[in-house]
């Protein structure tokens, strides 16, 4: 038992140190990933992972196995309604229409595109930068192809007006691609939230919803620092329903309409 | 009515009375003096004037006497004519004075008459004396004068002096009487005044004592009582209309102020107490309460309000605490449950994957079955022939079994004979043993032999019994074999019938297997869908798990925060 648990413990420590992934949440996935390997292979893998950079294919394999890609269009509609109604008009007025949006932890792109849809509907010329740790998910997101599968698909809470941003796939039935105009306004990149963002961007709106829940308590300090580093006074931050910032008090609730819409208050007022 | 009058008004009454008394008495006094004065004035005008006139008449008369004597002495006509003229003038003055005196002193007629006699005698005697003188009869003149005039002069002088004396005495008496009367009047006035002033002063004193000093003393007592902190007294004085009423009213204000001060002082202590309760409550202890037992007024209300606030906060926090605990428990349970679901869904995902794989395998299998069914059809024909042969063999088998049964019966009979022999041999061995014992020392070897024979017989009997058992079993088996063989034969007969049916069925199976193959292909696509659904569920469940863990942490933190409040 001990020799079987040892690689798991080491792998857990490594993934937490490199990617900040919480073992409390993702430990089962890591365990089942390792369980598929023989004890000897597990030890080999852990030994290998200890000495290679995170761009190594083995790391990618492990990370892909651990990540939970739960996302769909127009998720948390109540929050997005408030964003459309209160936040975007304010940001448009402040930035002159070119709103910089960062979707941190975009998974397969549904959320990033949803934000782009909102920008379009609000007649803003903004751009969305969407990043995720999973290269596969980022590739999928870039393709912008979504299938109307049975069960919990990407369109599960799609409002009727959302369909205007999609074109049907020419050959495959029940397959939709995001309209070209929207796709051009969204850029995707692979990014580990534990490391600095390569583009020195200052976002006007950061959406980091249901992402922080996968980070361990300690690594959140670094992630929150990253979010602050990509912000400036006036930046609005969207969080998921159960999330909160533990280490920074830069962001404060922005509106009474929704508790999970925060912002970095401008000096002297809004 | 009396109490409504101010002290000033009360004292004004005796003062006014005093002033009135003073003015009255002064008036009376002055009047008295004026009267006295008038009396004196009339006295002077009458009695004293009369006295003066009588004195004047006396002196005129004396002057006249002196002039007459001078006349009588003078020898020269010029001298005595001049003196005579002077004498006549002097006599002429006396007449009016005598008339004046008569009007002023009517009681002195006798004296006046005497004076009139003397005057008349002298007036009548001047001319004869003068004529004698002129005639140079000086002695005659003296004699004439002596005879006619001098005798009347002296009684007149005496009478006039007496009158003057009488008038002076009368005037003195009148003055004395008037002074005595005035003195009496002033004395009685002064006594009356003194009595009145005494009465008024007594009344004023009574007023002051009754209307001022007594209530003032009472008020002083109450003020003293109040100053010692006891405000428990009646204040009927406050309803008075006078200065004491004002004082009473002021005292009422004092009392209410004193009560306020007292209340304020006790309020401070109570405020401090309430403050301590609030401080403790601020330090999250919601079990503390303000003790209302010894409090009154608005601080009691505040205390009650604070208690109510604490009570409600306590109840609300307690309620929130319970609910949060419940939520924390529920979230923790739900978290565990969702975790299990998540694991379950992951397992389901794996299982569905396996099903998918199994389905692919079964599709292959079905294809193989289909092929096999056709082969089976051909084999069926071969089987029919084999069954025919089987039927024949079954009959042979039946006969063989019957033979075995017969042999078994024979063996059984032989075994019974062997058993009899063994029995007898056993009895013989017993006899041999008895005989050997009787032979004594020489039979010893035979004893051994007989024992061995006995054992042999016993063994033979046992073997015989075993053989009997085996043979009986064999017979029973043979009987069963017979029945079985009969059944085999019957079965073979029916198989022969069935084989042809089977052949037909296998043909239909081959057909339905082809249909199955099509269906499995359809199922395969469905399972792919199911796999997708399961995978979506798994992902969603895992995200819910992650969310639940956050919620669980939130609930725990909230509970810890709530636990810092001390409630009951």
């Amino acid at each position: 038992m001990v020799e079987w648990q040892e690689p798991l413990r080491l792998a857990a420590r490594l993934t937490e140190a490199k990617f900040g992934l919480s073992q409390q949440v993702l430990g089962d996935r890591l365990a089942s990933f390792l369980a598929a390997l023989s004890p000897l292979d597990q030890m080999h893998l852990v030994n290998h992972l200890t000495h290679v950079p995170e761009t190594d294919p083995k790391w990618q394999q492990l990370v892909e196995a651990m990540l939970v890609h739960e996302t769909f269009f127009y998720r948390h509609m109540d929050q997005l309604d408030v964003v459309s109604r209160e936040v975007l008009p304010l940001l448009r007025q402040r930035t002159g229409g070119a709103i910089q949006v960062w979707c941190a932890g975009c998974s397969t792109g549904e959320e990033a595109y949803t934000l782009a849809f909102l920008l379009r509907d609000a007649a803003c010329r903004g751009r969305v930068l969407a990043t995720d740790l999973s290269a596969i998910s980022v590739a999928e997101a870039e393709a912008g192809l979504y299938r109307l599968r049975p069960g919990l698909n990407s369109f599960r809470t799609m409002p009727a007006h959302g369909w205007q941003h999609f074109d049907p796939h020419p050959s495959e039935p029940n397959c939709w691609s995001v309209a070209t105009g929207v796709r051009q306004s969204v850029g995707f990149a692979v990014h580990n939230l534990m490391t600095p963002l390569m583009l020195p961007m200052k976002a006007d709106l950061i959406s980091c919803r249901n992402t922080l829940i996968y980070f361990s308590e300690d690594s959140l300090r670094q992630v929150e620092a990253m979010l602050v580093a990509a912000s400036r006074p006036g930046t609005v931050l969207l969080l998921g329903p159960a999330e909160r910032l533990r280490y920074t008090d830069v962001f404060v609730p922005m509106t009474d309409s929704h508790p999970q819409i925060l912002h970095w208050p401008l000096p002297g007022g809004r | 009515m009396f109490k409504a009058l101010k002290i000033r008004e009360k004292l004004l009454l005796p003062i006014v009375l005093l002033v009135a008394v003073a003015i009255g008495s002064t008036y009376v006094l002055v009047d008295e003096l004026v009267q006295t004065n008038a009396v004196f004035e009339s006295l002077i005008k009458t009695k004293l004037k009369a006295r003066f006139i009588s004195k004047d008449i006396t002196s005129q008369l004396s002057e006249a006497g002196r002039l007459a004597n001078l006349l009588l002495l003078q020898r020269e006509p010029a001298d005595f004519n001049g003196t005579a003229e002077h004498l006549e003038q002097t006599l002429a003055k006396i007449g009016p004075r005598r008339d004046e005196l008569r009007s002023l002193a009517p009681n002195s007629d006798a004296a006046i008459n005497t004076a009139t006699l003397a005057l008349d005698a002298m007036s009548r005697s001047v001319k004869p004396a003068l004529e004698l003188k002129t005639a140079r009869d000086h002695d005659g003149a003296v004699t004439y004068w002596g005879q006619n005039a001098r005798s009347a002069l002296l009684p007149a002088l005496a009478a006039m002096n007496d009158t003057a004396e009488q008038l002076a005495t009368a005037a003195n008496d009148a003055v004395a009487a008037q002074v005595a009367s005035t003195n009496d009047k002033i004395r009685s006035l002064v006594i009356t005044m003194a009595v009145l002033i005494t009465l008024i002063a007594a009344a004023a004193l009574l007023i002051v004592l009754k209307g001022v000093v007594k209530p003032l003393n009472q008020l002083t007592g109450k003020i003293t009582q109040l100053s010692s902190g006891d405000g428990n007294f009646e204040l009927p004085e406050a309803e008075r209309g006078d200065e004491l009423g004002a004082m009473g009213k002021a005292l009422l204000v004092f009392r209410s102020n004193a009560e306020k001060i007292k209340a304020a002082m006790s309020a401070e202590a109570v405020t401090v107490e309430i403050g301590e309760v609030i401080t403790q409550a601020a330090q999250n202890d919601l079990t503390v309460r303000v003790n209302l037992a010894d409090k009154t007024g608005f601080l009691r209300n505040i205390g009650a309000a604070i208690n109510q606030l604490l009570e409600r906060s306590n109840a609300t926090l307690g309620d929130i605490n319970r609910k949060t605990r419940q939520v924390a428990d529920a979230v923790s349970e739900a978290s565990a449950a969702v975790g299990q679901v998540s694991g379950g869904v992951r397992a389901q995902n794996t299982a569905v994957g396996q099903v998918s794989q199994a389905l692919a395998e079964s599709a292959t299998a079905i294809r193989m079955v289909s092929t096999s069914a056709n082969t089976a059809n051909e084999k069926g024909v071969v089987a029919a022939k084999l069954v025919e042969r089987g039927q024949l063999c079954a009959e042979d088998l039946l006969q063989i079994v019957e033979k075995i049964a017969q042999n078994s019966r024979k063996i059984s009979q032989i075994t019974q004979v062997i058993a009899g022999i063994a029995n007898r041999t056993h009895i013989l061995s017993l006899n041999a043993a008895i005989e050997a014992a009787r032979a004594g020392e020489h039979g010893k070897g035979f004893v051994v032999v007989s024992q061995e024979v006995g054992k042999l017989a016993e063994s033979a009997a046992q073997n015989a019994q075993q053989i009997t058992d085996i043979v009986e079993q064999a017979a029973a088996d043979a009987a069963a074999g017979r029945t079985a063989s009969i059944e085999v034969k019957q079965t073979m007969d029916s198989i022969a019938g069935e084989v042809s049916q089977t052949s037909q069925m296998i043909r239909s199976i081959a057909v339905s297997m082809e249909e199955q193959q099509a269906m499995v292909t359809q199922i395969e696509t469905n399972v792919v869908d199911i796999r997708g659904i399961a995978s979506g569920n798994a992902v969603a469940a895992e995200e819910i798990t992650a969310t639940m863990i956050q919620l669980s942490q939130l609930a725990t933190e909230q509970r810890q925060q709530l636990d810092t409040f001390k409630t009951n």
Side-chain angles (χ1 to χ4, degrees):
Chain A
M1 277 308 265
V2 171
E3 55 269 34
W4 187 86
Q5 271 189 338
E6 194 65 10
L8 176 61
R9 204 169 55 80
L10 286 170
R13 202 189 292 164
L14 275 174
T15 45
E16 184 168 344
K18 276 194 185 288
F19 304 105
L21 299 178
S22 162
Q23 293 312 307
Q24 194 189 358
V25 182
L26 298 170
D28 286 354
R29 280 192 161 231
L30 180 64
S32 63
F33 176 79
L34 287 181
L37 302 173
S38 72
L40 191 63
D41 286 342
Q42 289 179 15
M43 293 220 250
H44 276 307
L45 178 67
V46 170
N47 189 40
H48 178 77
L49 292 177
T50 314
H51 302 291
V52 294
E54 59 190 75
T55 46
D56 189 87
K58 293 270 188 198
W59 261 129
Q60 292 303 311
Q61 222 180 327
L62 177 61
V63 162
E64 295 294 348
M66 282 184 77
L67 294 183
V68 177
H69 297 302
E70 168 71 346
T71 178
F72 46 95
F73 291 109
Y74 292 97
R75 191 177 184 185
H76 305 316
M77 200 60 198
D78 50 340
Q79 192 182 23
L80 296 179
D81 279 342
V82 179
V83 169
S84 295
R85 205 170 55 239
E86 297 182 17
V87 178
L88 289 182
L90 184 72
L91 292 178
R92 183 175 56 193
Q93 182 197 341
R94 196 182 287 162
T95 60
I99 301 173
Q100 288 283 337
V101 182
W102 177 26
C103 179
C106 67
S107 184
T108 45
E110 283 90 333
E111 181 162 324
Y113 286 126
T114 302
L115 290 168
F117 299 159
L118 294 186
L119 286 179
R120 285 216 132 194
D121 292 342
C124 297
R125 290 178 286 106
R127 271 195 66 78
V128 179
L129 170 69
T131 63
D132 197 83
L133 183 56
S134 161
I136 294 175
S137 298
V138 168
E140 267 183 51
E142 271 180 318
L145 271 181
Y146 298 95
R147 286 168 185 82
L148 191 55
R149 291 199 189 92
L152 300 175
N153 57 43
S154 303
F155 302 103
R156 67 187 85 157
T157 60
M158 184 81 159
H161 66 82
W163 287 108
Q164 60 177 322
H165 300 294
F166 287 90
D167 295 324
H169 192 268
S171 55
E172 196 182 331
N174 283 332
C175 181
W176 300 77
S177 68
V178 177
T180 320
V182 179
R183 272 166 63 184
Q184 280 168 351
S185 69
V186 186
F188 289 94
V190 177
H191 173 243
N192 175 4
L193 277 171
M194 296 282 281
T195 60
L197 199 59
M198 274 166 286
L199 307 168
M201 95 178 271
K202 293 287 183 193
D204 300 305
L205 175 65
I206 299 176
S207 172
C208 188
R209 304 195 296 171
N210 303 306
T211 306
L212 299 180
I213 52 174
Y214 293 108
F215 285 88
S216 71
E217 193 84 20
D218 293 334
S219 48
L220 274 171
R221 188 186 294 276
Q222 217 162 321
V223 176
E224 288 178 19
M226 254 304 302
L227 292 176
V228 173
S231 308
R232 60 184 166 206
T235 297
V236 178
L237 174 66
L238 309 182
L239 291 180
E243 292 169 327
R244 74 214 145 105
L245 300 174
R246 278 156 224 231
Y247 299 102
T248 175
D249 52 2
V250 164
F251 290 99
V252 296
M254 179 182 185
T255 166
D256 291 335
S257 312
H258 201 285
Q260 297 299 82
I261 300 179
L262 310 174
H263 75 149
W264 182 343
L266 285 173
R270 302 194 66 178
Chain B
M1 180 63 197
F2 178 71
K3 285 182 176 177
L5 288 174
K6 305 221 158 152
I7 294 173
R8 196 175 46 197
E9 289 158 1
K10 280 176 202 156
L11 290 178
L12 205 59
L13 192 69
I15 288 166
V16 166
L17 281 173
L18 276 176
V19 169
V21 166
I23 291 170
S25 347
T26 309
Y27 178 76
V28 170
L29 199 61
V30 168
D31 188 48
E32 190 59 35
L33 289 174
V34 167
Q35 278 178 24
T36 308
N37 206 21
V39 170
F40 286 166
E41 195 181 349
S42 72
L43 273 176
I44 289 162
K45 276 181 181 165
T46 54
K47 296 261 181 348
L48 290 179
K49 196 176 180 183
R51 179 178 168 269
F52 176 76
I53 291 169
S54 53
K55 282 275 180 184
D56 192 34
I57 291 171
T58 310
S59 65
Q60 293 290 345
L61 283 175
S62 304
E63 182 70 14
R66 190 188 62 85
L67 289 171
N69 289 342
L70 188 62
L71 178 89
L72 291 175
L73 290 171
Q74 287 168 334
R75 301 284 179 143
E76 294 297 321
D79 290 339
F80 60 69
N81 280 335
T83 302
E85 197 177 331
H86 200 180
L87 180 61
E88 279 181 339
Q89 280 173 357
T90 303
L91 286 176
K93 282 181 190 170
I94 290 170
R97 301 298 271 177
R98 184 204 56 204
D99 293 345
E100 207 173 342
L101 181 62
R102 190 175 283 145
S103 69
L104 283 173
N107 297 332
S108 340
D109 281 344
I112 290 166
N113 287 339
T114 316
T116 307
L117 280 177
L119 184 58
D120 288 347
M122 282 190 337
S123 299
R124 272 182 283 120
S125 307
V126 172
K127 257 179 185 176
L130 201 49
E131 284 165 0
L132 291 169
K133 273 294 210 179
T134 310
R136 305 270 181 156
D137 182 4
H138 296 294
D139 295 330
V142 171
T143 310
Y144 183 79
W145 186 263
Q147 287 178 344
N148 290 309
R150 199 167 281 153
S151 59
L153 184 60
L154 285 176
L157 279 175
M160 271 301 110
N161 270 334
D162 285 351
T163 302
E165 283 302 310
Q166 280 168 8
L167 281 169
T169 309
N172 280 342
D173 288 352
V175 166
Q178 184 60 42
V179 165
S181 130
T182 305
N183 280 351
D184 280 353
K185 278 188 179 168
I186 288 172
R187 188 178 299 118
S188 65
L189 184 68
V190 165
I191 287 167
T192 312
M193 225 168 96
V195 167
L196 274 175
I197 286 171
T198 308
L199 282 174
I200 289 164
L205 193 66
L206 196 66
I207 286 167
V208 168
L209 279 176
K210 181 102 175 150
V212 179
V213 175
K214 191 181 161 202
L216 204 58
N217 278 340
Q218 285 172 348
L219 274 176
T220 311
K222 284 166 187 175
I223 289 169
T224 313
Q225 192 182 345
L226 182 60
S227 72
S228 69
D230 181 9
N232 189 17
F233 48 76
E234 295 291 316
L235 254 180
E237 291 91 341
E239 279 153 33
R240 297 170 69 111
D242 57 3
E243 288 84 346
L244 290 168
M247 208 162 153
K249 284 183 190 109
L251 187 58
L252 271 184
V253 174
F254 278 150
R255 183 165 70 174
S256 79
N257 282 348
E259 275 163 7
K260 278 180 194 164
I261 288 166
K262 204 168 155 188
M265 278 166 74
S266 75
E268 197 183 345
V270 173
T271 311
V272 167
E273 192 188 323
I274 291 174
E276 275 164 16
V277 169
I278 292 172
T279 308
Q280 272 175 282
Q283 285 160 357
N284 293 353
D285 184 357
L286 299 181
T287 58
V288 290
R289 293 289 180 276
V290 177
N291 181 15
L292 297 180
D294 54 347
K295 291 172 189 61
T296 52
F298 74 102
L299 280 169
R300 186 191 163 89
N301 295 347
I302 290 174
I306 287 168
N307 279 358
Q308 201 179 2
L309 175 68
L310 283 169
E311 202 68 56
R312 283 194 190 159
S313 304
N314 186 25
T316 310
L317 267 176
D319 198 31
I320 291 174
N321 212 343
R322 279 190 295 282
K323 284 175 183 161
T324 308
R325 206 170 288 270
Q326 199 181 345
V327 167
D329 290 351
V331 166
S332 149
E333 203 159 299
S335 181
V338 172
Q340 286 165 1
V341 167
S342 181
V345 173
R346 212 162 35 235
Q348 182 195 354
N349 209 7
T350 318
V352 170
Q354 286 167 351
V355 166
S356 172
Q357 207 176 345
L359 264 177
E361 280 169 24
S362 28
T364 320
I366 284 165
R367 265 192 304 280
M368 283 168 68
V369 166
S370 184
T371 320
S372 302
N374 288 329
T375 317
N377 191 22
E378 291 158 19
K379 299 273 165 131
V381 180
V382 179
K385 285 176 187 165
L386 287 172
V387 165
E388 256 174 64
R389 270 181 63 189
Q391 274 176 307
L392 294 174
C393 289
E395 271 174 37
D396 289 349
L397 182 65
L398 185 62
Q399 285 169 0
I400 289 164
V401 166
E402 274 179 357
K403 262 185 192 169
I404 290 170
Q406 284 170 1
N407 289 341
S408 298
R409 276 194 293 279
K410 282 177 188 165
I411 290 167
S412 181
Q413 286 162 2
I414 292 164
T415 314
Q416 278 166 7
V417 173
I418 291 169
I421 291 168
N423 198 24
R424 257 187 237 167
T425 310
H426 185 63
I427 294 164
L428 280 175
S429 79
L430 288 174
N431 289 336
I434 294 163
E435 289 303 320
R438 201 185 289 171
E441 190 66 25
H442 303 282
K444 262 185 183 173
F446 200 67
V447 169
V448 175
V449 174
S450 71
Q451 278 174 342
E452 285 303 311
V453 170
K455 284 180 187 166
L456 197 65
E458 219 170 299
S459 170
Q462 281 173 351
N463 284 329
Q465 188 57 46
Q466 278 179 358
I467 290 166
T468 308
D469 290 348
I470 290 164
V471 166
E472 273 171 13
Q473 184 64 45
D477 288 349
R482 192 173 173 272
T483 320
S485 300
I486 290 166
E487 275 178 15
V488 165
K489 192 172 173 295
Q490 287 169 347
T491 308
M492 279 298 170
D493 292 344
S494 62
I495 285 173
E498 300 263 329
V499 162
S500 62
Q501 278 183 358
T502 308
S503 230
Q504 267 184 318
M505 282 163 79
I506 286 171
R507 271 196 299 280
S508 65
I509 285 170
V511 174
S512 59
M513 272 302 148
E514 276 162 28
E515 283 175 11
Q516 281 279 321
Q517 213 174 324
M519 274 169 71
V520 165
T521 313
Q522 179 61 41
I523 289 171
E524 254 186 314
T525 53
N526 289 347
V527 167
V528 168
D529 283 350
I530 289 171
R531 198 177 179 185
I533 292 168
S535 157
N537 289 349
V539 168
E542 270 166 315
E543 181 128 330
I544 293 170
T545 309
T547 308
M548 281 308 223
I549 288 169
Q550 296 293 317
L551 282 181
S552 180
Q553 283 175 358
L554 276 175
T556 308
E557 278 175 35
Q558 199 175 349
R559 220 176 74 184
Q560 284 164 352
Q561 277 178 352
L562 282 170
D563 281 345
T564 62
F565 286 95
K566 191 175 164 198
T567 56
N568 50 20

